[in-house]
Amino acid sequence: MKTGSGSGNFSLQPNGIFYIRDGRAAVRATRDFVKRRPTVDYATQSGPMLVIDGKLHPKFQADGTSRKTRDGVGVRKDGVAVFAISNGTVTFHALARLFRDALGCDNALFLDGTISSLFAPAIGRKDDYWNLGPMIGVFRKS
């Protein structure tokens, strides 16, 4: 796990971990996760955190100029994971506000930027990017 500084979005502290444990989802800052060391069924680290315990990441500015297609994951109080991807370019601040203010997530994590993509034919979204990193699939239980 990366807990130190470095270059790029991933190293903008705090970064965080999205994990699932016993069918419930959670997002925690990496340092908090490392302190608690919960047993998990699935986990992925990314960064930066968008929302930390109900507060926007302190480095995000409402007038930020970095605009990209972005996606992330947040978790509501009932433990349900909420994934979002922008339809166009957005700032980190705007994505963080979406998770906190519109989706009700006290903790949310940025997953990816420029190469963010979604394959969801039912809603007409079939993004076509080749150089993908980690992928998360969501399926309805049968």
Side-chain angles (χ1 to χ4, degrees):
M1 277 179 264
K2 184 165 176 63
T3 57
S5 61
S7 62
N9 296 330
F10 188 84
S11 295
L12 182 58
Q13 297 298 323
N15 60 26
I17 297 178
F18 164 68
Y19 63 96
I20 297 173
R21 175 183 173 174
D22 298 329
R24 288 183 57 91
V27 170
R28 298 302 311 158
T30 299
R31 288 188 179 128
D32 184 40
F33 182 90
V34 168
K35 282 182 197 172
R36 295 179 187 200
R37 291 278 183 190
T39 303
V40 301
D41 300 314
Y42 168 86
T44 189
Q45 184 182 28
S46 192
M49 288 287 290
L50 297 167
V51 183
I52 309 137
D53 297 328
K55 296 183 177 149
L56 300 184
H57 191 291
K59 299 246 174 151
F60 299 161
Q61 302 297 318
D63 60 352
T65 58
S66 175
R67 301 180 66 85
K68 298 180 184 289
T69 300
R70 291 190 160 107
D71 62 51
V73 60
V75 178
R76 299 186 323 215
K77 287 178 178 51
D78 61 3
V80 172
V82 180
F83 292 87
I85 184 170
S86 63
N87 285 325
T89 60
V90 296
T91 63
F92 275 124
H93 185 269
L95 186 62
R97 294 279 312 262
L98 170 78
F99 277 104
R100 186 189 69 182
D101 301 344
L103 300 175
C105 299
D106 284 343
N107 288 286
L109 177 64
F110 171 71
L111 292 175
D112 215 328
T114 304
I115 63 169
S116 297
S117 60
L118 175 66
F119 181 77
I123 62 170
R125 186 91 182 240
K126 296 179 187 178
D127 299 345
D128 188 21
Y129 296 107
W130 291 93
N131 297 320
L132 297 178
M135 295 171 35
I136 297 174
V138 179
F139 301 90
R140 187 178 312 271
K141 285 185 179 180
S142 55

